[in-house]
Amino acid sequence: MPSHPRTPLPRLAFGGDYNPEQWPEEVWREDVRLMREAGVTMVSVGVFSWALLEPEPGVHDFGWLDRLLDLLHTHGVRVALATPTVAPPAWFYRAHPEALPVTADGVRYAFGSRGAICHSSTAYRAAAADITTRLGERYGTHPALALWHVHNEYGVPVSACYCDSCAAHFRRWTEAAHGTVDALNEAWGTAFWGQRYTSFEQIDPPRRTPGAVNPAQALDHRRFADATMRENFVSERDILHRLSPGVPVTTNFMTALSQCDTVDYWAWGREVDLVTNDHYLITDGRRTHVNLAMAADLTRSVAGGAPWLLLEHSTSGVNWQPRNPAKAPGEMARNSLAHVARGSEGAMFFQWRQSRRGAEKFHSAMLPHGGTATRIWREVVRLGSDIAALAEIAGTRTEADAAVVWDWQSAWAQGLGGHPTVDHDPVERADAFYEALYDSHLTVDFAHPEADLARYPLAVVPASYLMTEAGGRNLRRYVEGGGTLVVSYFSGIVDEHDAVHPGPVPGALRDVLGLTVEEFSPLLPGRTVRLDGPGGATWTADVWTEAVVPDTARTVWTYADGLTAGHPAVTRNRLGAGTAWYVSTRLGATDLGALLRTVRADAGVPGPAALPRDVEVVRRSGDGGTYLFAVNHTGSEATVPLDASGTELLTDTPLTGHLTVPAGTVRVVRLPPDA
């Protein structure tokens, strides 16, 4: 949970990144006229404008931004004003080439992209603080200002730097984290391969070596890189809090597990006043709307359940994938409102007007190259009207049915190498378990392993290789208190320093699962094993098997062939008032779905209403009532049963008994508070 109250926006936001510096000023008046036509309420401004605001060191030009903010305010458009610290000017790098990051191979990146920053650079930190201070002093009380937007997408495209400045900073960080060299040697296990240190001055970042790098050192360096970026965010945030009191400060996250793996968003979520997120569909042939729902649920969870804001997504195709298909008619609105269903206080895009030049000129926008005669523009105008019709949902909270336990630092540790197989992917398992819950029509919260899970009847642990003792104790308390837990293989193995817990695996989860594992037995590519279950049923699994030895756990499914034949494959352990299930292999979608249906019944979670696959029903609730969102991702009309009479907000239609959702559309029903 955040350490301070979340700052809500006064109304739902609709708009996008606005980069007027790419256009002559005569275009600006046309822009604000069209913004009013589209129902735009807020735009992000200045994200990449440092070189214009400070064209020479110490020489500033705020005139164009003054005129822009005044123009937007006159036309009723509020502003998320960015600090442009993601893109220092060319003159800065000419004066301070050491502020460009260095790779583990010792190659220094060049100027000419974005986000090329050594976050340990004192010159960068001073320059970022200066431009932030000047913006705060000039615009901190501007009537158009709704939100401060610090930097842009921390961790993308680069987070870690291996230069000498970072090495010195890393030494200071490790000394603060471990206290003594002896404690560091113990935590990093430096007795292995004779890597023992006698002074912090001997420590370097995990640069390129001829063999494997110490995994504990590499894990700490990822923590260091994340913490260093966060220090810079906090520095800018605190300047803005001082100069612009009462205006919330945020930075745009990228919580989707497919899009940013360098940031521990649990830690970052505690530092922002309003959680915001950027989400883009990864068009790899999978069901993209499931990834969208997962990212939205994850973002809401980082916000502690409070409303958040989708700060960027696309109206249609993007430009940075190998293949960038357009969105189908209606898909933009469906995607946008699916985010709103899962807690977003509106829908923002990158960007307002499509660029003519630069790397993203083929990235879609609210106002395309083709202008107002396009399908995209017509859909944007319609979506603006729909967002306005949902004004009353502002501040309500999404209701969840189950929890998925997730830890970014555990995922980092799993990516360090030296493990039983390269075919195990923690993100794949998180995706698989989430998709199975989604297909059971359950709304999911994500939770850190040490978070309170008591309110969830069902919690799933898909890939928690790194599990602290505190996390293990927390999951045990959850089960003893009556919860139902499902744990996937290769979980509970190491502590926070990537050291295997003492005794048999799965160390931190051994007691709650009621079993031990004698040996991991991963499968070669293309190999599968058969599982035998109740009533003669059979399943097929791949990638991973284990020699499981049950203690108090009961065997539910058994390996029928392979090296682990005869060992339990799926177990169930009663502990206190609850139950812990263990899945020691990788099940495919169909079999994993069947298992979770069994577990759902075990947890006492009511079965879903008779809904078609890919029709999601999500509820937001508050003092004024409950709002049922029905999102139909299929090509056929769907019927959703209603347990109370209500009013559909987008069509202003009274309803009783059921809701009809046309193919590819969204409907939102206001129900009584107790529905």
Side-chain angles (χ1 to χ4, degrees):
M1 292 294 290
S3 56
H4 49 78
R6 294 293 181 199
T7 305
L9 292 172
R11 56 176 172 167
L12 299 184
F14 180 64
D17 277 41
Y18 185 33
N19 299 290
E21 60 268 32
Q22 298 177 17
W23 305 93
E25 285 200 31
E26 56 264 27
V27 176
W28 298 3
R29 294 195 177 278
E30 179 188 6
D31 281 333
V32 293
R33 178 183 65 80
L34 292 174
M35 286 178 189
R36 295 189 67 170
E37 181 179 328
V40 167
T41 64
M42 187 169 78
V43 292
S44 297
V45 170
V47 176
F48 301 107
S49 299
W50 195 342
L52 292 178
L53 294 170
E54 190 175 7
E56 297 178 42
V59 176
H60 297 88
D61 178 9
F62 293 108
W64 68 273
L65 189 54
D66 292 345
R67 296 190 296 276
L68 177 67
L69 265 59
D70 290 345
L71 179 65
L72 290 166
H73 176 61
T74 299
H75 288 80
V77 179
R78 304 200 73 196
V79 171
L81 183 57
T83 65
T85 52
V86 71
W91 60 256
F92 172 80
Y93 285 122
R94 179 67 63 178
H96 301 284
E98 77 281 0
L100 287 162
V102 173
T103 69
D105 292 316
V107 176
R108 189 177 295 278
Y109 286 113
F111 173 78
S113 181
R114 62 167 185 156
I117 296 164
C118 168
H119 283 274
S120 294
S121 165
T122 56
Y124 170 76
R125 290 184 171 207
D130 180 73
I131 191 66
T132 299
T133 299
R134 292 176 185 275
L135 287 167
E137 289 173 341
R138 192 173 189 94
Y139 302 111
T141 59
H142 195 286
L145 185 63
L147 181 68
W148 284 105
H149 172 356
V150 168
H151 204 268
N152 185 71
E153 296 177 345
Y154 280 97
V156 177
V158 61
S159 61
C161 175
Y162 299 82
C163 72
D164 289 342
S165 293
C166 278
H169 192 182
F170 184 49
R171 293 179 197 113
R172 296 191 297 272
W173 184 91
T174 55
E175 186 169 9
H178 297 283
T180 67
V181 175
D182 286 344
L184 178 139
N185 282 316
E186 176 65 21
W188 286 8
T190 57
F192 185 76
W193 280 357
Q195 297 174 354
R196 185 172 181 81
Y197 299 99
T198 58
S199 166
F200 283 103
E201 291 305 310
Q202 298 166 359
I203 294 169
D204 280 323
R207 293 167 172 150
R208 184 68 62 201
T209 61
V213 170
N214 183 335
Q217 178 190 13
L219 179 58
D220 258 0
H221 191 258
R222 295 200 67 161
R223 291 171 172 142
F224 157 76
D226 179 56
T228 303
M229 292 189 296
R230 198 160 58 250
E231 286 176 11
N232 288 349
F233 166 76
V234 168
S235 173
E236 293 187 43
R237 180 203 66 192
D238 289 351
I239 291 169
L240 296 172
H241 277 170
R242 174 171 56 84
L243 297 174
S244 187
V247 179
V249 180
T250 190
T251 185
N252 44 339
F253 295 166
M254 296 191 75
T255 63
L257 304 184
S258 57
Q259 291 174 21
C260 183
D261 64 356
T262 60
V263 175
D264 181 354
Y265 286 115
W266 294 125
W268 283 76
R270 295 189 290 270
E271 302 295 347
V272 297
D273 300 325
L274 173 73
V275 168
T276 63
N277 194 55
D278 297 352
H279 182 264
Y280 294 97
L281 302 180
I282 304 298
T283 49
D284 58 0
R286 292 184 293 177
R287 300 156 71 203
T288 55
H289 55 277
V290 180
N291 177 272
L292 183 158
M294 183 177 180
D297 284 345
L298 191 49
T299 307
R300 183 186 67 253
S301 302
V302 167
W308 54 281
L309 177 62
L310 175 66
L311 202 57
E312 285 185 29
H313 71 313
S314 65
T315 57
S316 190
V318 297
N319 70 294
W320 39 264
Q321 298 179 94
R323 298 163 189 84
N324 299 287
K327 290 184 178 179
E331 187 177 0
M332 175 185 66
R334 193 165 68 250
N335 291 167
S336 300
L337 296 177
H339 282 289
V340 174
R342 295 176 186 271
S344 178
E345 296 285 83
M348 304 277 285
F349 294 90
F350 180 86
Q351 58 181 324
W352 162 253
R353 181 183 282 271
Q354 193 168 16
S355 299
R356 290 184 56 227
R357 298 175 175 84
E360 295 184 292
K361 57 184 172 289
F362 296 118
H363 190 297
S364 60
M366 300 175 76
L367 184 60
H369 293 308
T372 58
T374 58
R375 170 180 69 87
I376 291 297
W377 173 254
R378 291 190 293 273
E379 291 192 19
V380 163
V381 173
R382 174 62 184 271
L383 178 59
S385 175
D386 287 348
I387 294 289
L390 299 179
E392 66 188 80
I393 73 163
T396 58
R397 295 194 172 210
T398 302
E399 300 175 359
D401 306 299
V404 171
V405 174
W406 176 258
D407 181 9
W408 276 277
Q409 295 195 23
S410 176
W412 296 348
Q414 290 180 79
L416 295 175
H419 293 159
T421 178
V422 298
D423 295 324
H424 166 60
D425 179 357
V427 172
E428 183 277 331
R429 281 295 82 187
D431 286 345
F433 273 85
Y434 181 89
E435 188 165 0
L437 294 167
Y438 177 96
D439 284 341
S440 292
H441 300 286
L442 294 175
T443 302
V444 169
D445 278 346
F446 285 79
H448 188 273
E450 297 177 21
D452 183 8
L453 300 171
R455 65 184 179 277
Y456 305 106
L458 172 63
V460 171
V461 184
S464 287
Y465 161 76
L466 186 155
M467 176 73 65
T468 63
E469 290 184 5
R473 289 194 300 269
N474 182 57
L475 295 181
R476 176 175 181 135
R477 283 193 300 271
Y478 167 72
V479 174
E480 288 176 332
T484 298
L485 187 72
V486 185
V487 177
S488 183
Y489 65 88
F490 209 40
S491 292
I493 308 302
V494 299
D495 66 13
E496 61 270 31
H497 302 301
D498 199 46
V500 175
H501 286 284
V505 299
L509 298 174
R510 188 168 54 228
D511 294 340
V512 71
L513 296 175
L515 54 81
T516 59
V517 176
E518 285 190 352
E519 190 175 18
F520 304 131
S521 184
L523 302 177
L524 294 176
R527 300 288 181 87
T528 62
V529 292
R530 193 181 83 246
L531 278 58
D532 288 343
T538 61
W539 288 345
T540 300
D542 64 2
V543 171
W544 189 279
T545 66
E546 296 177 346
V548 174
V549 179
D551 181 8
T552 57
R554 178 176 64 85
T555 301
V556 182
W557 286 79
T558 304
Y559 290 111
D561 54 19
L563 291 178
T564 55
H567 283 276
V570 178
T571 62
R572 179 180 183 271
N573 188 47
R574 289 290 299 175
L575 183 66
T579 306
W581 291 73
Y582 184 56
V583 186
S584 68
T585 188
R586 192 175 84 161
L587 297 176
T590 300
D591 296 338
L592 184 58
L595 173 64
L596 288 183
R597 285 193 294 274
T598 299
V599 172
R600 177 179 186 153
D602 200 31
V605 177
L611 295 172
R613 189 174 190 250
D614 293 328
V615 174
E616 56 185 87
V617 174
V618 182
R619 292 173 181 253
R620 289 181 62 156
S621 62
D623 294 339
T626 296
Y627 299 89
L628 183 148
F629 285 73
V631 185
N632 185 356
H633 297 285
T634 77
S636 302
E637 181 179 276
T639 300
V640 175
L642 299 176
D643 47 16
S645 298
T647 300
E648 203 288 308
L649 298 180
L650 301 181
T651 59
D652 193 27
T653 304
L655 297 170
T656 300
H658 70 276
L659 165 68
T660 299
V661 188
T665 67
V666 179
R667 293 291 182 262
V668 184
V669 182
R670 181 204 304 119
L671 298 168
D674 57 350

